[in-house]
Amino acid sequence: MLDHSSRPSSPPHIPMDALSEVLQDFRLSGVNYGRCELRHPWSIAFPQQQLLRFHFVSQGPCWINTEAQGWQKLNDGDLVLLPQGIAHRLASAPDVVGDSLEGCRVTKVGSNVCEVVQEGAGATSTLFCCSMALGAYALHPLIGLMPPIIKGCDVAGNDPIVGPLLAAMTAEATQPQMGSATVLSRMADLLTARLIRCWVNCSGASTTGWLAAIRDPHIGRVLAAMHRDPGHNWTLENLASVAGQSRSVFAERFSTVLGEGAARYLARLRMQLARELLGQGGMSIAEVASRLGYESEASFARAFKRITSVSPGVVRRTISGRTDIDFGF
């Protein structure tokens, strides 16, 4: 048994396509949008945040700068996705210095939509910027593996849905109506999920690591099962059954691809999720323990401290799970 303190139950049904299973519950929680109309010269810095971000260039000029890749030109219709929300700068030209935000007029046109305007006589750049928290915990390992910046045209050039979807999002943000926030949120879910899928499909065929595991027809189903229901009473037997392999074959294959055993992976997964739940402040330690399948608060606390080196009480008192989402302005 992988965890003697978890409650017994029958293993859930897991579909064959592990990536689809992981993407099934993909939701972006707390999505904010900004339509920017800026006159050259302009430059805006976006600080590091633990959020996904993307920028869509409806009309240039526009350049993006990151520490790792320097300046890159963005053309009309270009989309960039920053999965880990790294620090970056957008500008009308690489030689524009300073920060233009103080001179911009920022107007809220909805609960999570704003308009940013910089007047002037130079060429007009029209951008659609989005900042979003990831609501689907199952995707966190995949997001961590993605490069810090992805140009949509590099991975989704053959996706016929991306272009019309971006056009629809731009129209919705430009002329918000009743329910626009919900509509934009759902379209952002779809757009980001499709870009993630395109990146997975375009990535090299690695033989080890999380990406290789989710692609594996046997181990991928197990990862999807663990992430979908981390509180289930997973045993080596029922995980091997999900994988469609014998216990010995499954255990060896899992360790070879992931670099650790299934028990260790599951324990880390549970404690990472526990940190998020404790940080959100809406659940007691006992409630978190129950959600993750532990029979008692004490057994959960022991496992938590063994893996994280701190007690769940300390985490709950010191971490605020509320993310103040903005555009980085």
Side-chain angles (χ1 to χ4, degrees):
M1 180 173 290
L2 295 181
D3 192 331
H4 295 281
S5 61
S6 299
R7 296 186 304 268
S9 59
S10 58
H13 170 70
I14 304 299
M16 294 294 290
D17 183 353
L19 183 60
S20 292
E21 171 69 9
V22 170
L23 290 175
Q24 178 176 322
D25 291 337
F26 179 69
R27 288 292 183 274
L28 299 171
S29 60
V31 184
N32 280 5
Y33 308 88
R35 179 184 181 274
C36 306
E37 189 170 304
L38 310 167
R39 295 275 189 165
H40 176 74
W42 60 268
S43 177
I44 297 177
F46 292 78
Q48 166 76 37
Q49 287 190 344
Q50 296 304 312
L51 304 169
L52 289 88
R53 296 183 187 274
F54 68 72
H55 303 291
F56 173 62
V57 181
S58 177
Q59 176 184 353
C62 185
W63 292 71
I64 186 169
N65 177 266
T66 61
E67 183 178 357
Q69 300 186 24
W71 287 103
Q72 300 179 69
K73 185 178 182 180
L74 302 178
N75 300 311
D76 292 0
D78 274 356
L79 166 75
V80 290
L81 176 69
L82 300 104
Q84 298 97 30
I86 63 168
H88 60 286
R89 178 178 292 273
L90 297 180
S92 55
D95 59 354
V96 179
V97 298
D99 202 306
S100 303
L101 185 61
E102 292 184 0
C104 292
R105 184 178 71 253
V106 180
T107 305
K108 293 203 70 173
V109 293
S111 60
N112 61 348
V113 180
C114 73
E115 187 174 58
V116 181
V117 177
Q118 176 179 287
E119 305 289 352
T124 301
S125 300
T126 304
L127 314 175
F128 175 57
C129 303
C130 182
S131 173
M132 44 202 168
L134 187 63
Y137 182 79
L139 272 180
H140 285 205
L142 180 57
I143 294 298
L145 292 174
M146 297 177 76
I149 179 170
I150 297 173
K151 294 182 71 174
C153 59
D154 292 340
V155 298
N158 296 321
D159 190 328
I161 300 299
V162 171
L165 185 57
L166 285 168
M169 291 179 72
T170 302
E172 195 72 38
T174 302
Q175 299 177 330
Q177 304 176 43
M178 183 178 299
S180 284
T182 299
V183 172
L184 282 166
S185 178
R186 294 297 176 262
M187 286 194 289
D189 287 344
L190 177 58
L191 175 63
T192 308
R194 292 187 77 98
L195 289 177
I196 290 172
R197 184 179 67 181
C198 287
W199 177 80
V200 171
N201 290 335
C202 293
S203 298
S206 173
T207 58
T208 60
W210 201 89
L211 190 56
I214 200 67
R215 287 169 163 165
D216 186 286
H218 304 287
I219 305 303
R221 293 200 298 272
V222 171
L223 286 186
M226 285 182 173
H227 282 267
R228 187 166 182 80
D229 190 4
H232 179 73
N233 182 39
W234 293 114
T235 66
L236 188 59
E237 288 81 3
N238 58 34
L239 286 175
S241 177
V242 169
Q245 297 175 318
S246 68
R247 288 179 52 184
S248 58
V249 170
F250 163 72
E252 181 179 357
R253 178 62 178 164
F254 193 100
S255 297
T256 299
V257 177
L258 271 300
E260 62 182 341
R264 176 64 179 172
Y265 183 93
L266 179 62
R268 288 196 306 104
L269 173 66
R270 285 172 170 169
M271 296 310 119
Q272 289 164 1
L273 180 54
R275 288 183 68 91
E276 291 191 2
L277 295 174
L278 291 168
Q280 291 169 6
M283 298 177 68
S284 67
I285 296 175
E287 288 171 329
V288 173
S290 177
R291 176 166 175 173
L292 293 178
Y294 288 86
E295 295 179 340
S296 69
E297 182 178 335
S299 62
F300 164 72
R302 287 193 298 271
F304 189 91
K305 189 166 186 178
R306 183 177 68 251
I307 293 171
T308 68
S309 300
V310 295
S311 70
V314 168
V315 172
R316 194 169 188 271
R317 289 192 298 269
T318 58
I319 297 180
S320 171
R322 181 182 181 276
T323 303
D324 187 14
I325 299 177
D326 59 23
F327 306 105
F329 294 152

